Amino acid sequence: MPSFVDRPAQHYVGARATIAVTEFATIADQIPRIIGLLAQHGLAPAGAPFFRYLVIHPGMRFTAEACVPVEGEFTPEAPLITGVVPAGKYVLSTYVGHPDGLFGATKAVLDWGAAEGVRWDSTEAEDGEHWAGRLEVLNTNPLEQPDPTQWSTDLLFHVAE
């Protein structure tokens, strides 16, 4: 059952791409690169890596970022970027299972929100649905738990104030 949580703003270093669902690995593969870059500069991640979905485009395409949370100032070289996930109230649902099930888990949260009258912090535009904060937080390190059916992912959706 989803719940409401308050989250502080979260700074991150990320890589952004507009891709089809079938191309997701191109963005997901950036996380180890970003963690390695931070380590080269003596920085450790300030939390679990996550994916931030900025725009859900028609036709199963989306603009997303692979993100690693950081504290303090760090400016990476392009094409890496920095960003901030906004503070505020979020709906949280934790999914445990293979990443192939995330689409269904996300739909379940959005359907729950519609039934409960939750107003998401998102806007419709010609190019798709723009989100202020729509995250998949990767709670499981695949190097420590190689079985993807055991991976835990927090789904977080920013609520309109």
Side-chain angles (χ1 to χ4, degrees):
M1 172 74 104
S3 61
F4 291 96
V5 296
D6 290 315
R7 289 178 47 93
Q10 178 65 67
H11 293 263
Y12 62 87
V13 174
R16 181 181 298 165
T18 299
I19 54 176
V21 171
T22 57
E23 301 168 313
F24 190 76
T26 62
I27 193 80
D29 291 346
Q30 297 301 310
I31 289 177
R33 177 177 164 230
I34 296 167
I35 292 171
L37 175 70
L38 292 174
Q40 288 174 3
H41 289 86
L43 300 170
F50 59 92
F51 299 111
R52 181 177 186 190
Y53 295 87
L54 300 169
V55 183
I56 308 301
H57 301 284
M60 297 299 286
R61 294 185 60 76
F62 48 85
T63 300
E65 296 172 342
C67 308
V68 177
V70 294
E71 291 197 22
E73 297 292 321
F74 179 75
T75 304
E77 290 185 24
L80 295 180
I81 59 168
T82 59
V84 180
V85 176
K89 184 178 287 189
Y90 284 77
V91 166
L92 164 67
S93 180
T94 301
Y95 167 76
V96 177
H98 193 283
D100 289 347
L102 285 167
F103 180 83
T106 297
K107 183 180 180 327
V109 173
L110 294 173
D111 290 348
W112 172 87
E116 295 292 319
V118 175
R119 286 188 31 244
W120 306 115
D121 190 358
S122 66
T123 57
E124 289 290 334
E126 273 189 34
D127 65 339
E129 187 176 31
H130 292 245
W131 283 80
R134 180 171 171 167
L135 313 175
E136 290 177 359
V137 180
L138 310 175
N139 297 322
T140 306
N141 181 340
L143 298 176
E144 295 171 4
Q145 174 51 266
D147 180 359
T149 65
Q150 300 301 309
W151 292 353
S152 170
T153 306
D154 284 343
L155 303 175
L156 289 152
F157 303 84
H158 195 247
V159 175
E161 299 289 331

